[in-house]
Amino acid sequence: MDRLKLSRIDEELVSSEVAALCFLCRDVINRKRLEGIVDAKGLFLRLEEKGLLENDFFLSQLLQTICRADLLNLLETDSRQPEETDANPMLSDYRVMLYRVYEDMTEENLDKMKFLLSNKLGKAKIEACNTALDVFAEMEMAGLLSNTNLHELHTMLLEFDQQLALIIQRYTEDVHSHAIICSIPIEGDVSFRCFCSSDAGASDASVVFSDAEPMTSPLSDHTEYYALLHNPRGLCVVINNEYFLGTELKNRGGTQEDAKALLTVFTRLGFNVVVHDDLTAHKMLLVLRELGSRNFLDDDALVVCVLSHGEKGCVYGIDEKPVSLRELSLPFTSGRAPTLAGKPKLFFIQACQGSNYQRGSLPCPPKPRQEEGDRQSRLEADAGRVDGETVPWDADFLLGMATVPECKSFRNTAKGSIYIQELCRQLMRSAESSEMDDMLTVLTRVNREVSKGEYLNYKQMPEPKYTLTKKLVLKFV
């Protein structure tokens, strides 16, 4: 970013605003690296080190959060939600929420909060706190406050300011989760999180249409529709790569929102969801090979989601080594996983597939309709018919790509990727509907909605590929 612009912004910011900006950056800059910063120039240098000033969006949101929209003119940017192409992190809702509490806290209430915390943080530390942001920082270091632990702060605010407590409550309601998370080790030192609905939550999440008549449903036609008879339906495995070990690939802020969305949707659709965090290329292959050796007799389907960086035809492990898309699906072909033969295998890939940007243009008018004879004369036999009841090894796969080959995909660092979030919205819409929309209809809607948007002034076009032999309809169980 232009140093002259940054110098002008620095001149306009007072010390209290710089301190607020430093607090807002605590999730993306190491606490130690923020020590000793006295002006905005020092903070900008730290942001540059992290690659956070490669475009205007991160700094733009910082300035908007501290109510210095007047300085946005110096950036010559717009006020849209920031998107990225698997690049820079952005402010968390948690830290912005704490800033709102700080903004609305009176000196009297700050003194009350410091008094209530003096026995937990120590008198010396409390006396060194000049603002609520200082108090929040000390609470975080003492383990009394985090994005998943707001109980102490909320309880304290209820004592002297109901409106401030309401800010915490609203934030908590927005990020509520109905899952139990447990860590399970497996061979090869690969660990994953297994998500299962609690007994209480399961009844809430189980949505059925009481007036439905299963015997007359088209889903009972197993020649036209994949049979979904078991509960759970099967496994949904999510490989969620956020923190990368090398210097070429940046961390993927916002990917946890994608993992949460996939967890919520596929749990309600009847799948046991397993999330593997931050796997190297070798561990990704190990996980998938071990999964391929599973007995799937009691499963109706398999879902695999990969959230990572990528290039054309591959995704990356956190060690920046590639795994080809073919390697992802190979363990589940009917030749290698015979108990999956004839069952749908869904793969959803959130990753760039190149370095090009997708651009848009106005739609063309429809071409004149061809006569039947003209169409038939252009057809050729690309493959022969498969006789008998055997299943081709590569049958019954669906590959949902976030973008077409050679192009970038976009991720909002606060709300998750454009593709996965839209996919989850459309799966929920379809599952709640009385219509019998199959998976290809759902993905067509995803294509339409994603392609409507503009992200950093560019477009994104998802691409589904499939060898499904029947219709797949997913409803809540």
Side-chain angles (χ1 to χ4, degrees):
M1 186 180 293
D2 187 345
R3 288 293 180 92
L4 183 58
K5 290 182 183 180
L6 296 177
S7 178
R8 289 174 179 170
I9 292 172
D10 169 69
E11 291 172 358
E12 295 291 330
L13 294 171
V14 299
S15 59
S16 61
E17 291 171 326
V18 173
L21 292 176
C22 288
F23 177 83
L24 290 169
C25 290
R26 284 173 68 93
D27 289 332
V28 293
I29 298 177
N30 184 284
R31 176 171 57 88
K32 205 165 185 180
R33 298 291 291 158
L34 289 171
E35 291 179 357
I37 290 179
V38 295
D39 56 25
K41 291 195 293 291
L43 177 60
F44 295 155
L45 289 174
R46 299 292 182 267
L47 292 173
E48 279 187 330
E49 291 172 2
K50 289 287 186 177
L52 297 172
L53 295 183
E54 291 180 358
N55 58 52
D56 295 342
F57 291 103
F58 187 77
L59 182 54
S60 172
Q61 191 174 15
L62 281 173
L63 295 175
Q64 287 176 321
T65 302
I66 67 169
C67 301
R68 290 303 307 267
D70 58 310
L71 300 181
L72 293 179
N73 292 331
L74 295 176
L75 296 177
E76 297 176 356
T77 186
D78 58 32
S79 58
R80 294 176 303 166
Q81 279 285 340
E83 315 291 347
E84 65 169 14
T85 64
D86 283 337
N88 303 325
M90 164 184 133
L91 294 182
S92 68
D93 290 339
Y94 157 73
R95 208 153 288 280
V96 172
M97 175 272 297
L98 290 180
Y99 181 82
R100 298 299 175 217
V101 174
Y102 151 77
E103 269 193 316
D104 293 343
M105 186 172 291
T106 64
E107 285 295 327
E108 180 183 358
N109 285 340
L110 174 60
D111 289 339
K112 290 178 181 178
M113 183 169 67
K114 291 168 66 173
F115 174 77
L116 292 172
L117 285 169
S118 58
N119 64 329
K120 295 182 179 180
L121 296 179
K123 186 177 179 181
K125 288 185 176 179
I126 279 294
E127 287 181 350
C129 294
N130 296 316
T131 68
L133 295 182
D134 295 334
V135 176
F136 297 155
E138 291 295 339
M139 290 179 70
E140 287 179 328
M141 287 187 282
L144 299 175
L145 178 64
S146 71
N147 62 336
T148 57
N149 178 21
L150 292 160
H151 176 73
E152 184 82 27
L153 180 59
H154 183 250
T155 302
M156 188 166 45
L157 293 177
L158 284 173
E159 292 292 325
F160 55 81
D161 195 319
Q162 299 286 326
Q163 289 301 314
L164 294 183
L166 187 59
I167 295 175
I168 305 288
Q169 181 179 330
R170 285 172 177 166
Y171 168 81
T172 304
E173 289 171 352
D174 287 342
V175 298
H176 74 283
S177 174
H178 300 291
I180 299 172
I181 306 179
C182 56
S183 296
I184 304 174
I186 66 173
E187 185 181 349
D189 195 31
V190 180
S191 63
F192 60 86
R193 291 177 286 147
C194 177
F195 299 84
C196 308
S197 295
S198 64
D199 291 340
S203 60
D204 293 336
S206 298
V207 179
V208 295
F209 299 100
S210 57
D211 296 331
E213 300 180 43
M215 295 304 293
T216 60
S217 168
L219 295 182
S220 61
D221 179 5
H222 294 160
T223 62
E224 190 72 18
Y225 291 85
Y226 286 106
L228 300 177
L229 305 174
H230 295 89
N231 189 8
R233 300 292 190 221
L235 279 177
C236 171
V237 177
V238 181
I239 295 176
N240 180 35
N241 288 344
E242 179 176 11
Y243 298 106
F244 287 76
L245 304 176
T247 59
E248 296 299 317
L249 300 177
K250 296 177 181 177
N251 295 336
R252 301 181 60 256
T255 190
Q256 294 297 341
E257 296 305 311
D258 288 345
K260 289 178 188 176
L262 291 167
L263 160 67
T264 300
V265 171
F266 282 101
T267 298
R268 296 191 68 187
L269 292 174
F271 289 81
N272 283 337
V273 182
V274 177
V275 178
H276 298 267
D277 287 319
D278 296 328
L279 300 186
T280 63
H282 173 72
K283 288 185 177 180
M284 289 171 67
L285 292 173
L286 177 64
V287 164
L288 295 176
R289 287 167 186 164
E290 290 189 354
L291 178 62
S293 65
R294 169 189 170 95
N295 185 339
F296 293 95
L297 279 176
D298 293 328
D299 293 1
D300 295 322
L302 172 70
V303 180
V304 176
C305 306
V306 180
L307 316 175
S308 191
H309 288 291
E311 286 291 340
K312 184 177 180 181
C314 74
V315 292
Y316 287 107
I318 61 168
D319 55 352
E320 302 187 342
K321 293 182 180 179
V323 176
S324 72
L325 299 182
R326 180 59 177 165
E327 287 178 294
L328 295 179
S329 62
L330 195 59
F332 310 104
T333 60
S334 57
R336 299 197 179 194
T339 53
L340 269 178
K343 299 176 181 180
K345 297 160 279 282
L346 313 181
F347 287 73
F348 298 106
I349 311 296
Q350 169 54 47
C352 291
Q353 284 294 291
S355 58
N356 293 331
Y357 286 100
Q358 183 83 197
R359 298 185 181 272
S361 60
L362 294 174
C364 296
K367 294 180 180 179
R369 187 174 176 222
Q370 291 179 324
E371 295 299 324
E372 184 67 21
D374 293 338
R375 284 202 305 271
Q376 292 297 330
S377 66
R378 298 188 182 186
L379 298 178
E380 291 183 351
D382 287 329
R385 182 173 63 90
V386 178
D387 294 320
E389 295 300 321
T390 59
V391 177
W393 284 5
D394 287 303
D396 305 298
F397 278 89
L398 183 144
L399 177 62
M401 301 295 298
T403 181
V404 294
E406 301 182 356
C407 289
K408 291 179 178 285
S409 60
F410 293 87
R411 175 171 33 83
N412 185 302
T413 52
K415 299 180 180 179
S417 66
I418 305 304
Y419 174 68
I420 293 295
Q421 293 297 320
E422 189 61 43
L423 171 67
C424 290
R425 272 192 291 272
Q426 294 302 332
L427 285 170
M428 292 287 281
R429 170 186 169 183
S430 175
E432 292 170 339
S433 171
S434 59
E435 300 294 324
M436 305 304 292
D437 295 331
D438 71 324
M439 184 57 64
L440 298 185
T441 300
V442 171
L443 291 179
T444 300
R445 290 196 187 113
V446 173
N447 283 0
R448 180 169 64 245
E449 294 304 315
V450 172
S451 66
K452 285 180 181 177
E454 283 197 6
Y455 318 104
L456 296 176
N457 296 320
Y458 297 103
K459 308 290 283 185
Q460 182 173 329
M461 187 67 246
E463 181 184 40
K465 303 175 183 179
Y466 67 96
T467 59
L468 298 180
T469 58
K470 300 177 184 179
K471 295 180 181 178
L472 176 62
V473 177
L474 297 177
K475 295 292 185 181
F476 295 142
V477 297

